[in-house]
Amino acid sequence: MIKAVILAAGKGTRMKSDTPKVLHQIFSKPLLGYVLDNVKNIADESFVIVGHHAEEVTKFVEKHYNNAKTVLQTPQLGTGHAVSMVCPHLENFDGQVIILCGDTPLITEKTLKEFIEYHNKNNSDLTVMSTIFENPANYGRIIRESDNTLKCIVEEKDATPEQKLVKEVNAGIYCLNWAKVKPAFSQLTSNNAQGEYYLTDIIAWGKKNDLKVNAYILENSDEIYGINSRQNLAAATRIINERKLNSLMENGVTIVDPTSTWISEDTEIGSDTTVFPATYIEGKNKIGKNCKIGPCAHLRGDVEIADNCKIGNFVEVKKAKINHNTNAGHLSYIGDAELGSNVNIGAGTITANYDPISKVKSRTILKDNVKIGSNTVLVAPVEIGKGTNIGAGSVITKNITEWALALTRAPLRVIEKWVKH
Ligand code: UD1
Ligand code: CA
């Protein structure tokens, strides 16, 4: 049995934000969500250590992850102190614990599995993940003995000039045989530059107590990139996006311009779909085969699009289910909607889904073969029956039956020679 401990109590001072660091988002998913998603198939239970803005972080965890618990750490006395908070919850636990940081969202499930396999194969009691960084600044350095075995981890702020030259850094991810390493957490001290109880000190503790301590060196150092600043957040977003675009292209999706296209990890796209430039797709979505998306489309999550659809330029879609062969080519907003197959949405169509007085959002339902004329406002809740046509420029405020023509339009007035007079 494996338990996960995710450190998420720190303030994240360098973000200069009122939002706790681990709730900063990449494609509208908090950093902590990435970490929890990556451990959910590995650990049967996760403990998230919360402190700074604990209520907000707890709310997020409770809403989205039912096998995760939050554990409060107040005050926050360092990463070692943070892990010690789970001791009462794992009193008689005899399995493995993997420790991760809530601010390291790029780690993958595949790497974590390899990491644990390495730990097991080497009969380790304690394994730390490391990697080589050309620019190791701000990370803890892995210090080795002359025979290359691990000695300890030294934080940047405590490092000597020679230690600062070491390029092997601590990823902040650990696997431990809990029963063996648990005593360390009552023995850590805070004699260091930051006056904190460092989790990193468990390496030296393990050595001193004759445990088998190893490092797993990760080749793809991108994965352990930690988010400490807004610059880091932007760089991580770019990495997650590149990964996604590459995997989509490998699976038969055309991305016309990868430098201007943004697609969240949680978006599935079928083969032979083309995504045109300047398109932004966030949240969880499923797009079928042979679709054309963009240029300049914005999909905001909970969007399901079947095969052979077209979502064109300046079209925003959220919480919508769109059946096959349906087109919304230009300048439209489709939110909280259900569109049948063979529907055509004319340019400038808006689903007016939100009543700002009652703050209620309502749904628009368009049955198969509906044709909506340009510049129509569909005031939800509203349902348009199968095959019905709506004339251009209409404001539709009630349900319309099938195969009808509906339009609201002031009569056209033409005053002959008015300009000349
Ligand atoms: C930490 C490691 C460093 C490693 C780096 C990798 C320590 C002492 N240092 O440094 O060796 O290279 O991560 O990214 O462990 N947190 C708590 N409670 C606390 C303090 C921190 O939960 O009292 C959480 C933070 O919210 C964060 C994580 O622990 O998610 C790491 O803390 P942070 O301050 O970012 O440590 P680093 O300086 O990055
Ligand atoms: Ca960090």
Side-chain angles (χ1 to χ4, degrees), residues 203-330:
I203 302 299
W205 182 91
K207 295 286 289 191
K208 212 175 82 192
N209 289 277
D210 292 324
L211 300 193
K212 284 198 78 178
V213 183
N214 282 301
Y216 165 90
I217 305 176
L218 180 66
E219 296 235 348
N220 177 7
S221 53
D222 274 358
E223 288 196 25
I224 65 126
Y225 192 69
I227 311 300
N228 297 310
S229 66
R230 306 275 180 162
Q231 284 89 338
N232 295 158
L233 186 65
T237 304
R238 196 165 279 285
I239 294 170
I240 286 188
N241 190 47
E242 267 170 25
R243 271 188 200 164
K244 182 67 191 182
L245 298 182
N246 282 329
S247 106
L248 288 171
M249 290 189 276
E250 274 158 24
N251 288 298
V253 175
T254 294
I255 308 287
V256 175
D257 177 19
T259 63
S260 72
T261 301
W262 299 87
I263 301 180
S264 67
E265 209 177 37
D266 298 333
T267 295
E268 287 173 43
I269 305 185
S271 59
D272 288 323
T273 284
T274 299
V275 183
F276 291 92
T279 289
Y280 189 77
I281 302 180
E282 59 191 311
K284 243 193 188 124
N285 309 282
K286 198 169 171 185
I287 300 170
K289 295 182 183 176
N290 270 314
C291 293
K292 291 190 175 12
I293 310 291
C296 304
H298 184 190
L299 272 51
R300 287 173 41 207
D302 289 324
V303 171
E304 248 182 74
I305 300 174
D307 300 345
N308 304 311
C309 290
K310 181 168 188 250
I311 299 298
N313 28 209
F314 304 102
V315 174
E316 175 180 340
V317 189
K318 76 121 206 196
K319 281 206 178 120
K321 207 172 160 180
I322 300 178
N323 216 330
H324 57 82
N325 295 320
T326 285
N327 297 333
H330 337 263

Side-chain angles (χ1 to χ4, degrees), residues 7-10 21 73 76-79 103 139-140 155 170 198 200:
L7 308 185
K21 176 164 76 174
Q73 181 200 17
Q76 292 92 47
L77 303 178
T79 48
D103 67 349
Y139 286 84
E155 289 305 290
N170 170 25
Y198 289 165
T200 46

Side-chain angles (χ1 to χ4, degrees), residues 9-74:
K11 184 153 189 283
T13 316
R14 291 163 277 185
M15 294 299 280
K16 305 214 166 74
S17 174
D18 290 334
T19 300
K21 176 164 76 174
V22 296
L23 292 190
H24 276 263
Q25 300 182 343
I26 294 179
F27 290 115
S28 60
K29 176 157 111 183
L31 304 180
L32 180 58
Y34 285 86
V35 181
L36 281 164
D37 282 344
N38 280 325
V39 298
K40 75 175 176 222
N41 296 326
I42 293 176
D44 62 301
E45 190 179 25
S46 298
F47 297 92
V48 180
I49 312 297
V50 298
H52 188 70
H53 283 287
E55 305 93 273
E56 277 170 73
V57 181
T58 302
K59 214 170 120 194
F60 168 73
V61 173
E62 283 177 354
K63 184 164 174 208
H64 299 279
Y65 297 91
N66 48 24
N67 68 343
K69 275 199 183 85
T70 55
V71 178
L72 193 63
Q73 181 200 17
T74 41

